Amino acid sequence: MKNSMRYTTRLLLLSLLVLGLAGCHQNVIPADGERMDGCGRMVRITAKILPSDAPLRALGEVQDDPDDDPDTPFDPEVVDPNKRYFDEDRIDHVMLYVYDKDELIKTVFYHDPKITVGMPTAFDGLEVKTFGKDAGGTFTFDLLLSPGRYRFVLLVNDPQCYYEAKKGNIRRPEKIYLDQMTEERGLISSEVLINSRPYYSVTHPRVIPMTGQAMLTIPKGNDDGTPKTVTPSIDLERIMARIEIILTTANKDESEYLSPEIANYKADNREYVDGTTTGRLTKGRLVDLVDKDWRAGTLEILPTKGEYTATGRGMSEESRLYSDRTAEDYLQYFRNVDTYRTTVTRRYAQDMDERNAFTSLTKMYHQRSKSLSGKRYLNLYYLYIPPMFIDGLTKEDMPYILIGVNTKGQIIPDDAPVRAEQMTYFRLPITTLVSAAGGGIEEKFEVRRNTTYSIYAAFRGGRLILDDGIKVLPWKVENETIEVDVDDAITPPVIPIDK
């Protein structure tokens, strides 16, 4: 019995020795002083922002107006899809979530090393570090991990990550936040981005949120403690869609109007009174972006199942992390198209021509909106809106550009109704049209994240023509309601004015 016990003891000691020799090196100190425990090694994760080059409409070839002359205002314009403007690439902070299967094993709050004020401090369950950035716009995040296969989720510039971390909490990435952007703060615009303030107050600055996720295999790290770069990089996409309007009233050299009567067109110079009983209907002098209040106030960082997303390439459905659309407050508004239509009814308008190029219909060719910021004009002016993905949506549910023109050129008295008889309104839907799977007849309408919606429109006579061949005809005050298909380019479409 004693010999047997001695043999067992020797075998156990030998096993422990072998495991110790074959195991991970302990207490290796990397350059930044962080101690590595167990099998962990310093690795470097990279992420890069994807370009936003998706088209306005997913299907159909670009067509000229068949009634147009050869001097068409819709000459192709080459736009560099990788060229971004203002602070669209600004990344202040990133919350990194690392999952081993479905278990969250690590959360790290990374921030720009230039930001030294207002950042959260580390607490149990959350590390706080700075990230790196190279000249090519690639962001790097160093962390300690053992070899294996992990799911990485990044929430970038997310206000709730910041607010929760400041309170000592970790934000659940799937959670949806309603009323994130209140009406008082308005939609994000180019002007807001370029003037966005740093972290000197309790209010999070207005920057564009982004997200990214990937399944990555972590290799055995470097024994000297230097970070080992993991490939591939994680794609980051902006949560918002970018909207711009490009108007044409004249020929290419801007020597004459496309139609002589345009010279008499004027703006509605009355004050805007929120579309009640008096005052002009458009918030801006000519052009508005119109949405719904609860949609404009919703921040849904992760995509929902079935929604267009450009990040997470190669990931299976089971591997992805999706937005939680089962939250009671979210279902109250966005459960389905019927709930949305009956609950989200109040109109939200943001002017696109205040202090910029569209205060009157002068001779212009491919004129983009500009805005005065401080003492200089921005070369371009964009509005940024949340994505929209609800089954059953139609064109009438989508956000749209509303253009109001005084086509009679007459003075509108202050006591005239909102839809004065001198006014003509045009509605330009903002949507990506997606054909049904399997060749079905049902089509889907959605606003896609990380997508640019550049709407080219030209006045020609009493019509407003889009460069994809769709004619948007005016709707005027009529005694009867006319149900039409906007794309048939024959019947003037009715513009529903929301409550």
Side-chain angles (χ1 to χ4, degrees), residues 215-248:
M215 291 290 295
L216 298 179
T217 299
I218 302 301
K220 184 179 183 296
N222 300 324
D223 290 338
D224 61 359
T226 58
K228 186 179 185 67
T229 300
V230 178
T231 57
S233 64
I234 301 176
D235 295 330
L236 297 178
E237 66 180 1
R238 301 172 188 81
I239 303 305
M240 319 298 283
R242 183 174 69 184
I243 312 297
E244 67 170 336
I245 176 74
I246 304 97
L247 283 180
T248 294

Side-chain angles (χ1 to χ4, degrees), residues 147-362:
R149 183 79 169 165
Y150 301 94
R151 174 172 60 192
F152 294 82
V153 177
L154 302 177
L155 301 191
V156 181
N157 296 335
D158 173 42
Q160 293 301 331
C161 282
Y162 173 76
Y163 291 140
E164 295 292 343
K166 292 280 285 185
K167 294 186 295 184
N169 302 321
I170 295 176
R171 180 245 213 268
R172 190 167 63 87
E174 304 97 323
K175 182 174 174 58
I176 301 164
Y177 288 85
L178 289 171
D179 205 20
Q180 176 62 40
M181 295 176 294
T182 64
E183 287 188 88
E184 290 74 24
R185 296 173 71 184
L187 293 173
I188 296 178
S189 68
S190 301
E191 192 171 3
V192 167
L193 287 180
I194 204 169
N195 290 301
S196 189
R197 298 185 180 278
Y199 295 75
Y200 294 130
S201 67
V202 295
T203 303
H204 191 278
R206 304 299 308 284
V207 288
I208 295 179
M210 308 177 198
T211 189
Q213 56 182 305
M215 291 290 295
L216 298 179
T217 299
I218 302 301
K220 184 179 183 296
N222 300 324
D223 290 338
D224 61 359
T226 58
K228 186 179 185 67
T229 300
V230 178
T231 57
S233 64
I234 301 176
D235 295 330
L236 297 178
E237 66 180 1
R238 301 172 188 81
I239 303 305
M240 319 298 283
R242 183 174 69 184
I243 312 297
E244 67 170 336
I245 176 74
I246 304 97
L247 283 180
T248 294
T249 63
N251 57 5
K252 196 166 187 177
D253 61 9
E254 299 182 350
S255 61
E256 59 182 29
Y257 285 106
L258 296 179
S259 300
E261 61 269 26
I262 300 176
N264 299 320
Y265 288 178
K266 296 184 182 301
D268 188 345
N269 290 319
R270 294 176 297 168
E271 293 298 320
Y272 174 73
V273 197
D274 198 22
T276 52
T277 56
T278 61
R280 68 173 182 268
L281 180 61
T282 52
K283 189 174 183 179
R285 295 295 178 187
L286 284 169
V287 185
D288 282 1
L289 188 154
V290 182
D291 210 326
K292 301 291 182 64
D293 58 349
W294 271 112
R295 228 191 62 74
T298 301
L299 185 61
E300 187 175 9
I301 295 292
L302 294 177
T304 190
K305 286 188 177 180
E307 181 183 355
Y308 162 83
T309 179
T311 189
R313 63 179 184 270
M315 295 181 71
S316 64
E317 287 288 314
E318 295 74 21
S319 300
R320 289 181 179 272
L321 193 64
Y322 288 103
S323 171
D324 182 5
R325 286 205 169 188
T326 62
E328 183 178 352
D329 55 353
Y330 190 78
L331 287 176
Q332 179 182 352
Y333 302 98
F334 305 108
R335 178 184 293 108
N336 51 47
V337 67
D338 293 329
T339 303
Y340 173 74
R341 287 171 181 167
T342 57
T343 309
V344 186
T345 57
R346 191 170 61 171
R347 197 172 82 133
Y348 181 97
Q350 180 72 43
D351 66 272
M352 294 194 73
D353 58 15
E354 185 68 20
R355 296 182 297 149
N356 65 35
F358 301 147
T359 53
S360 62
L361 286 176
T362 57

Side-chain angles (χ1 to χ4, degrees), residues 396-450:
E396 288 69 31
D397 299 308
M398 307 306 295
Y400 57 91
I401 301 296
L402 178 64
I403 301 179
V405 180
N406 182 349
T407 54
K408 295 186 177 181
Q410 301 171 354
I411 296 176
I412 304 175
D414 292 338
D415 60 352
V418 172
R419 284 172 273 184
E421 63 177 0
Q422 295 89 346
M423 293 299 298
T424 298
Y425 295 98
F426 301 87
R427 171 175 173 160
L428 287 64
I430 300 168
T431 181
T432 298
L433 179 63
V434 183
S435 289
I441 60 174
E442 182 181 356
E443 295 175 324
K444 293 185 177 181
F445 296 84
E446 59 190 55
V447 174
R448 291 182 166 182
R449 52 181 60 208
N450 201 62

